[in-house]
PDB file of all heavy atoms in Angstrom:
ATOM      1  N   ILE A   1       3.712   8.168   6.944  1.00 87.00           N
ATOM      2  CA  ILE A   1       2.642   9.118   7.309  1.00 87.00           C
ATOM      3  C   ILE A   1       1.489   8.948   6.331  1.00 87.00           C
ATOM      4  O   ILE A   1       0.235   9.039   7.084  1.00 87.00           O
ATOM      5  CB  ILE A   1       3.235  10.554   6.939  1.00 87.00           C
ATOM      6  CG1 ILE A   1       4.377  10.891   7.944  1.00 87.00           C
ATOM      7  CG2 ILE A   1       2.174  11.622   7.060  1.00 87.00           C
ATOM      8  CD1 ILE A   1       4.221  10.899   9.366  1.00 87.00           C
ATOM      9  N   LEU A   2       1.641   8.573   5.111  1.00 90.00           N
ATOM     10  CA  LEU A   2       0.460   8.361   4.221  1.00 90.00           C
ATOM     11  C   LEU A   2      -0.347   7.264   4.832  1.00 90.00           C
ATOM     12  O   LEU A   2      -1.577   7.415   4.956  1.00 90.00           O
ATOM     13  CB  LEU A   2       0.888   8.089   2.843  1.00 90.00           C
ATOM     14  CG  LEU A   2      -0.154   7.699   1.851  1.00 90.00           C
ATOM     15  CD1 LEU A   2      -1.274   8.871   1.742  1.00 90.00           C
ATOM     16  CD2 LEU A   2       0.430   7.483   0.441  1.00 90.00           C
ATOM     17  N   SER A   3       0.289   6.214   5.127  1.00 93.00           N
ATOM     18  CA  SER A   3      -0.528   5.007   5.747  1.00 93.00           C
ATOM     19  C   SER A   3      -1.179   5.338   7.105  1.00 93.00           C
ATOM     20  O   SER A   3      -2.449   5.046   7.255  1.00 93.00           O
ATOM     21  CB  SER A   3       0.494   3.903   5.909  1.00 93.00           C
ATOM     22  OG  SER A   3      -0.270   2.707   6.325  1.00 93.00           O
ATOM     23  N   GLN A   4      -0.520   6.045   7.883  1.00 93.00           N
ATOM     24  CA  GLN A   4      -1.092   6.440   9.155  1.00 93.00           C
ATOM     25  C   GLN A   4      -2.353   7.360   9.046  1.00 93.00           C
ATOM     26  O   GLN A   4      -3.248   7.141   9.714  1.00 93.00           O
ATOM     27  CB  GLN A   4      -0.009   7.242  10.045  1.00 93.00           C
ATOM     28  CG  GLN A   4       1.103   6.325  10.523  1.00 93.00           C
ATOM     29  CD  GLN A   4       2.169   7.190  11.221  1.00 93.00           C
ATOM     30  OE1 GLN A   4       1.939   8.246  11.743  1.00 93.00           O
ATOM     31  NE2 GLN A   4       3.467   6.769  11.072  1.00 93.00           N
ATOM     32  N   LYS A   5      -2.278   8.254   8.080  1.00 91.00           N
ATOM     33  CA  LYS A   5      -3.406   9.178   7.875  1.00 91.00           C
ATOM     34  C   LYS A   5      -4.642   8.351   7.348  1.00 91.00           C
ATOM     35  O   LYS A   5      -5.788   8.587   7.806  1.00 91.00           O
ATOM     36  CB  LYS A   5      -2.922  10.244   6.888  1.00 91.00           C
ATOM     37  CG  LYS A   5      -2.022  11.270   7.391  1.00 91.00           C
ATOM     38  CD  LYS A   5      -1.585  12.354   6.433  1.00 91.00           C
ATOM     39  CE  LYS A   5      -2.586  13.485   6.282  1.00 91.00           C
ATOM     40  NZ  LYS A   5      -2.147  14.513   5.399  1.00 91.00           N
ATOM     41  N   ILE A   6      -4.399   7.414   6.508  1.00 95.00           N
ATOM     42  CA  ILE A   6      -5.519   6.568   6.087  1.00 95.00           C
ATOM     43  C   ILE A   6      -6.057   5.752   7.206  1.00 95.00           C
ATOM     44  O   ILE A   6      -7.360   5.778   7.432  1.00 95.00           O
ATOM     45  CB  ILE A   6      -5.065   5.621   4.865  1.00 95.00           C
ATOM     46  CG1 ILE A   6      -4.672   6.545   3.618  1.00 95.00           C
ATOM     47  CG2 ILE A   6      -6.208   4.590   4.610  1.00 95.00           C
ATOM     48  CD1 ILE A   6      -3.858   5.638   2.626  1.00 95.00           C
ATOM     49  N   LYS A   7      -5.274   5.078   8.089  1.00 96.00           N
ATOM     50  CA  LYS A   7      -5.686   4.150   9.025  1.00 96.00           C
ATOM     51  C   LYS A   7      -6.299   5.007  10.193  1.00 96.00           C
ATOM     52  O   LYS A   7      -7.155   4.371  11.006  1.00 96.00           O
ATOM     53  CB  LYS A   7      -4.633   3.265   9.538  1.00 96.00           C
ATOM     54  CG  LYS A   7      -4.127   2.242   8.573  1.00 96.00           C
ATOM     55  CD  LYS A   7      -3.163   1.285   9.060  1.00 96.00           C
ATOM     56  CE  LYS A   7      -2.752   0.230   8.019  1.00 96.00           C
ATOM     57  NZ  LYS A   7      -1.552  -0.636   8.508  1.00 96.00           N
ATOM     58  N   GLU A   8      -5.939   6.139  10.460  1.00 95.00           N
ATOM     59  CA  GLU A   8      -6.520   7.079  11.561  1.00 95.00           C
ATOM     60  C   GLU A   8      -7.928   7.157  11.236  1.00 95.00           C
ATOM     61  O   GLU A   8      -8.789   7.199  12.140  1.00 95.00           O
ATOM     62  CB  GLU A   8      -5.797   8.339  11.614  1.00 95.00           C
ATOM     63  CG  GLU A   8      -4.549   8.334  12.397  1.00 95.00           C
ATOM     64  CD  GLU A   8      -3.767   9.570  12.208  1.00 95.00           C
ATOM     65  OE1 GLU A   8      -4.277  10.665  11.610  1.00 95.00           O
ATOM     66  OE2 GLU A   8      -2.557   9.673  12.591  1.00 95.00           O
ATOM     67  N   LYS A   9      -8.415   7.242   9.955  1.00 96.00           N
ATOM     68  CA  LYS A   9      -9.695   7.433   9.585  1.00 96.00           C
ATOM     69  C   LYS A   9     -10.432   6.157   9.158  1.00 96.00           C
ATOM     70  O   LYS A   9     -11.711   6.080   9.460  1.00 96.00           O
ATOM     71  CB  LYS A   9      -9.708   8.271   8.241  1.00 96.00           C
ATOM     72  CG  LYS A   9      -9.130   9.853   8.451  1.00 96.00           C
ATOM     73  CD  LYS A   9     -10.173  10.729   9.068  1.00 96.00           C
ATOM     74  CE  LYS A   9      -9.663  12.137   8.969  1.00 96.00           C
ATOM     75  NZ  LYS A   9     -10.706  13.009   9.467  1.00 96.00           N
ATOM     76  N   TRP A  10      -9.829   5.225   8.625  1.00 97.00           N
ATOM     77  CA  TRP A  10     -10.460   4.124   8.229  1.00 97.00           C
ATOM     78  C   TRP A  10      -9.593   2.899   8.426  1.00 97.00           C
ATOM     79  O   TRP A  10      -8.570   2.702   7.829  1.00 97.00           O
ATOM     80  CB  TRP A  10     -10.586   4.207   6.648  1.00 97.00           C
ATOM     81  CG  TRP A  10     -11.550   3.355   5.952  1.00 97.00           C
ATOM     82  CD1 TRP A  10     -12.488   2.464   6.629  1.00 97.00           C
ATOM     83  CD2 TRP A  10     -11.818   3.121   4.599  1.00 97.00           C
ATOM     84  NE1 TRP A  10     -13.170   1.757   5.729  1.00 97.00           N
ATOM     85  CE2 TRP A  10     -12.751   2.186   4.404  1.00 97.00           C
ATOM     86  CE3 TRP A  10     -11.203   3.660   3.388  1.00 97.00           C
ATOM     87  CZ2 TRP A  10     -13.246   1.695   3.112  1.00 97.00           C
ATOM     88  CZ3 TRP A  10     -11.651   3.202   2.180  1.00 97.00           C
ATOM     89  CH2 TRP A  10     -12.710   2.255   2.044  1.00 97.00           C
ATOM     90  N   ASN A  11      -9.948   2.055   9.358  1.00 94.00           N
ATOM     91  CA  ASN A  11      -9.264   0.839   9.816  1.00 94.00           C
ATOM     92  C   ASN A  11      -9.294  -0.308   8.893  1.00 94.00           C
ATOM     93  O   ASN A  11      -9.994  -1.307   9.289  1.00 94.00           O
ATOM     94  CB  ASN A  11      -9.559   0.554  11.223  1.00 94.00           C
ATOM     95  CG  ASN A  11      -8.700  -0.492  11.841  1.00 94.00           C
ATOM     96  OD1 ASN A  11      -7.509  -0.620  11.556  1.00 94.00           O
ATOM     97  ND2 ASN A  11      -9.255  -1.249  12.739  1.00 94.00           N
ATOM     98  N   ILE A  12      -8.634  -0.233   7.782  1.00 97.00           N
ATOM     99  CA  ILE A  12      -8.632  -1.282   6.742  1.00 97.00           C
ATOM    100  C   ILE A  12      -7.175  -1.832   6.649  1.00 97.00           C
ATOM    101  O   ILE A  12      -6.204  -1.007   6.940  1.00 97.00           O
ATOM    102  CB  ILE A  12      -9.156  -0.976   5.503  1.00 97.00           C
ATOM    103  CG1 ILE A  12      -8.406   0.235   4.794  1.00 97.00           C
ATOM    104  CG2 ILE A  12     -10.640  -0.656   5.531  1.00 97.00           C
ATOM    105  CD1 ILE A  12      -8.792   0.513   3.444  1.00 97.00           C
ATOM    106  N   LYS A  13      -6.889  -2.980   6.193  1.00 97.00           N
ATOM    107  CA  LYS A  13      -5.563  -3.485   5.926  1.00 97.00           C
ATOM    108  C   LYS A  13      -5.084  -2.905   4.621  1.00 97.00           C
ATOM    109  O   LYS A  13      -5.775  -2.811   3.630  1.00 97.00           O
ATOM    110  CB  LYS A  13      -5.629  -4.971   5.811  1.00 97.00           C
ATOM    111  CG  LYS A  13      -6.099  -5.768   6.983  1.00 97.00           C
ATOM    112  CD  LYS A  13      -4.918  -5.934   8.042  1.00 97.00           C
ATOM    113  CE  LYS A  13      -5.368  -6.842   9.224  1.00 97.00           C
ATOM    114  NZ  LYS A  13      -4.343  -6.883  10.179  1.00 97.00           N
ATOM    115  N   LEU A  14      -3.787  -2.401   4.732  1.00 97.00           N
ATOM    116  CA  LEU A  14      -3.166  -1.893   3.507  1.00 97.00           C
ATOM    117  C   LEU A  14      -1.970  -2.887   3.196  1.00 97.00           C
ATOM    118  O   LEU A  14      -1.052  -3.134   4.022  1.00 97.00           O
ATOM    119  CB  LEU A  14      -2.598  -0.452   3.806  1.00 97.00           C
ATOM    120  CG  LEU A  14      -3.600   0.511   4.246  1.00 97.00           C
ATOM    121  CD1 LEU A  14      -3.007   1.968   4.405  1.00 97.00           C
ATOM    122  CD2 LEU A  14      -4.794   0.708   3.117  1.00 97.00           C
ATOM    123  N   PHE A  15      -1.879  -3.291   2.017  1.00 97.00           N
ATOM    124  CA  PHE A  15      -0.827  -4.214   1.479  1.00 97.00           C
ATOM    125  C   PHE A  15       0.099  -3.484   0.431  1.00 97.00           C
ATOM    126  O   PHE A  15      -0.550  -2.953  -0.624  1.00 97.00           O
ATOM    127  CB  PHE A  15      -1.425  -5.478   0.897  1.00 97.00           C
ATOM    128  CG  PHE A  15      -2.186  -6.272   1.813  1.00 97.00           C
ATOM    129  CD1 PHE A  15      -3.632  -6.154   2.231  1.00 97.00           C
ATOM    130  CD2 PHE A  15      -1.562  -7.182   2.630  1.00 97.00           C
ATOM    131  CE1 PHE A  15      -4.257  -6.803   2.978  1.00 97.00           C
ATOM    132  CE2 PHE A  15      -2.229  -8.008   3.586  1.00 97.00           C
ATOM    133  CZ  PHE A  15      -3.662  -7.837   3.794  1.00 97.00           C
ATOM    134  N   SER A  16       1.382  -3.491   0.641  1.00 95.00           N
ATOM    135  CA  SER A  16       2.218  -2.886  -0.399  1.00 95.00           C
ATOM    136  C   SER A  16       2.440  -3.943  -1.649  1.00 95.00           C
ATOM    137  O   SER A  16       2.415  -5.106  -1.274  1.00 95.00           O
ATOM    138  CB  SER A  16       3.693  -2.640   0.185  1.00 95.00           C
ATOM    139  OG  SER A  16       3.593  -1.634   1.136  1.00 95.00           O
ATOM    140  N   THR A  17       2.521  -3.344  -2.646  1.00 95.00           N
ATOM    141  CA  THR A  17       2.995  -4.252  -3.826  1.00 95.00           C
ATOM    142  C   THR A  17       3.951  -3.380  -4.748  1.00 95.00           C
ATOM    143  O   THR A  17       3.803  -2.197  -4.837  1.00 95.00           O
ATOM    144  CB  THR A  17       1.811  -4.617  -4.627  1.00 95.00           C
ATOM    145  OG1 THR A  17       2.276  -5.603  -5.647  1.00 95.00           O
ATOM    146  CG2 THR A  17       1.021  -3.598  -5.378  1.00 95.00           C
ATOM    147  N   TYR A  18       4.923  -3.998  -5.266  1.00 94.00           N
ATOM    148  CA  TYR A  18       5.814  -3.256  -6.146  1.00 94.00           C
ATOM    149  C   TYR A  18       6.108  -4.178  -7.427  1.00 94.00           C
ATOM    150  O   TYR A  18       6.255  -5.312  -7.300  1.00 94.00           O
ATOM    151  CB  TYR A  18       7.168  -3.222  -5.386  1.00 94.00           C
ATOM    152  CG  TYR A  18       8.428  -2.954  -6.240  1.00 94.00           C
ATOM    153  CD1 TYR A  18       8.663  -1.750  -6.700  1.00 94.00           C
ATOM    154  CD2 TYR A  18       9.365  -4.001  -6.608  1.00 94.00           C
ATOM    155  CE1 TYR A  18       9.794  -1.343  -7.520  1.00 94.00           C
ATOM    156  CE2 TYR A  18      10.377  -3.643  -7.511  1.00 94.00           C
ATOM    157  CZ  TYR A  18      10.492  -2.336  -7.910  1.00 94.00           C
ATOM    158  OH  TYR A  18      11.639  -2.135  -8.735  1.00 94.00           O
ATOM    159  N   ALA A  19       6.055  -3.440  -8.568  1.00 94.00           N
ATOM    160  CA  ALA A  19       6.111  -4.166  -9.769  1.00 94.00           C
ATOM    161  C   ALA A  19       6.576  -3.192 -10.888  1.00 94.00           C
ATOM    162  O   ALA A  19       6.670  -1.908 -10.630  1.00 94.00           O
ATOM    163  CB  ALA A  19       4.879  -4.763 -10.194  1.00 94.00           C
ATOM    164  N   SER A  20       7.048  -3.673 -12.064  1.00 91.00           N
ATOM    165  CA  SER A  20       7.174  -2.710 -13.176  1.00 91.00           C
ATOM    166  C   SER A  20       6.834  -3.412 -14.441  1.00 91.00           C
ATOM    167  O   SER A  20       6.952  -4.749 -14.498  1.00 91.00           O
ATOM    168  CB  SER A  20       8.476  -2.221 -13.201  1.00 91.00           C
ATOM    169  OG  SER A  20       9.407  -3.271 -13.562  1.00 91.00           O
ATOM    170  N   THR A  21       6.527  -2.699 -15.539  1.00 92.00           N
ATOM    171  CA  THR A  21       6.272  -3.374 -16.825  1.00 92.00           C
ATOM    172  C   THR A  21       7.497  -4.123 -17.240  1.00 92.00           C
ATOM    173  O   THR A  21       7.223  -5.346 -17.807  1.00 92.00           O
ATOM    174  CB  THR A  21       6.080  -2.225 -17.903  1.00 92.00           C
ATOM    175  OG1 THR A  21       4.914  -1.389 -17.559  1.00 92.00           O
ATOM    176  CG2 THR A  21       5.852  -2.800 -19.295  1.00 92.00           C
ATOM    177  N   GLU A  22       8.720  -3.687 -17.080  1.00 94.00           N
ATOM    178  CA  GLU A  22       9.857  -4.504 -17.552  1.00 94.00           C
ATOM    179  C   GLU A  22       9.937  -5.935 -16.825  1.00 94.00           C
ATOM    180  O   GLU A  22      10.347  -6.801 -17.373  1.00 94.00           O
ATOM    181  CB  GLU A  22      11.105  -3.619 -17.302  1.00 94.00           C
ATOM    182  CG  GLU A  22      11.241  -2.304 -17.957  1.00 94.00           C
ATOM    183  CD  GLU A  22      10.658  -1.196 -17.231  1.00 94.00           C
ATOM    184  OE1 GLU A  22       9.919  -1.345 -16.266  1.00 94.00           O
ATOM    185  OE2 GLU A  22      10.983  -0.071 -17.685  1.00 94.00           O
ATOM    186  N   MET A  23       9.578  -5.924 -15.569  1.00 94.00           N
ATOM    187  CA  MET A  23       9.747  -7.165 -14.826  1.00 94.00           C
ATOM    188  C   MET A  23       8.494  -8.156 -15.178  1.00 94.00           C
ATOM    189  O   MET A  23       8.672  -9.291 -14.997  1.00 94.00           O
ATOM    190  CB  MET A  23       9.757  -6.928 -13.331  1.00 94.00           C
ATOM    191  CG  MET A  23      10.812  -6.096 -12.787  1.00 94.00           C
ATOM    192  SD  MET A  23      10.972  -6.073 -11.065  1.00 94.00           S
ATOM    193  CE  MET A  23       9.456  -5.440 -10.444  1.00 94.00           C
ATOM    194  N   SER A  24       7.402  -7.659 -15.462  1.00 93.00           N
ATOM    195  CA  SER A  24       6.220  -8.449 -15.478  1.00 93.00           C
ATOM    196  C   SER A  24       6.007  -9.228 -14.298  1.00 93.00           C
ATOM    197  O   SER A  24       5.592 -10.444 -14.398  1.00 93.00           O
ATOM    198  CB  SER A  24       6.248  -9.239 -16.789  1.00 93.00           C
ATOM    199  OG  SER A  24       6.044  -8.444 -17.878  1.00 93.00           O
ATOM    200  N   THR A  25       6.386  -8.789 -13.154  1.00 96.00           N
ATOM    201  CA  THR A  25       6.316  -9.661 -11.931  1.00 96.00           C
ATOM    202  C   THR A  25       6.129  -8.571 -10.798  1.00 96.00           C
ATOM    203  O   THR A  25       6.588  -7.496 -10.862  1.00 96.00           O
ATOM    204  CB  THR A  25       7.814 -10.220 -11.809  1.00 96.00           C
ATOM    205  OG1 THR A  25       8.182 -11.027 -12.962  1.00 96.00           O
ATOM    206  CG2 THR A  25       7.807 -11.215 -10.482  1.00 96.00           C
ATOM    207  N   ALA A  26       5.458  -9.193  -9.724  1.00 96.00           N
ATOM    208  CA  ALA A  26       5.076  -8.245  -8.682  1.00 96.00           C
ATOM    209  C   ALA A  26       5.693  -8.825  -7.332  1.00 96.00           C
ATOM    210  O   ALA A  26       5.842 -10.051  -7.189  1.00 96.00           O
ATOM    211  CB  ALA A  26       3.637  -8.044  -8.469  1.00 96.00           C
ATOM    212  N   PHE A  27       6.060  -7.973  -6.502  1.00 97.00           N
ATOM    213  CA  PHE A  27       6.510  -8.287  -5.053  1.00 97.00           C
ATOM    214  C   PHE A  27       5.536  -7.783  -4.032  1.00 97.00           C
ATOM    215  O   PHE A  27       5.368  -6.554  -3.935  1.00 97.00           O
ATOM    216  CB  PHE A  27       7.876  -7.643  -4.793  1.00 97.00           C
ATOM    217  CG  PHE A  27       8.915  -8.269  -5.592  1.00 97.00           C
ATOM    218  CD1 PHE A  27       9.215  -7.688  -6.872  1.00 97.00           C
ATOM    219  CD2 PHE A  27       9.934  -9.180  -5.155  1.00 97.00           C
ATOM    220  CE1 PHE A  27      10.163  -8.261  -7.623  1.00 97.00           C
ATOM    221  CE2 PHE A  27      10.908  -9.612  -5.876  1.00 97.00           C
ATOM    222  CZ  PHE A  27      11.100  -9.277  -7.227  1.00 97.00           C
TER     223      PHE A  27
END
């Protein structure tokens, strides 16, 4: 829903990223 609401107004690409301090690594 959050992504849909953004894109309904503003047609930009949205990229997910997931990380944490403990990992010092991002997905």
Side-chain angles (χ1 to χ4, degrees):
I1 297 296
L2 175 57
S3 187
Q4 288 173 32
K5 288 176 81 169
I6 294 166
K7 288 183 177 179
E8 280 167 10
K9 296 276 192 176
W10 196 10
N11 187 27
I12 59 173
K13 296 279 188 183
L14 301 178
F15 296 90
S16 291
T17 188
Y18 162 77
S20 71
T21 298
E22 294 90 348
M23 298 193 301
S24 292
T25 309
F27 294 76

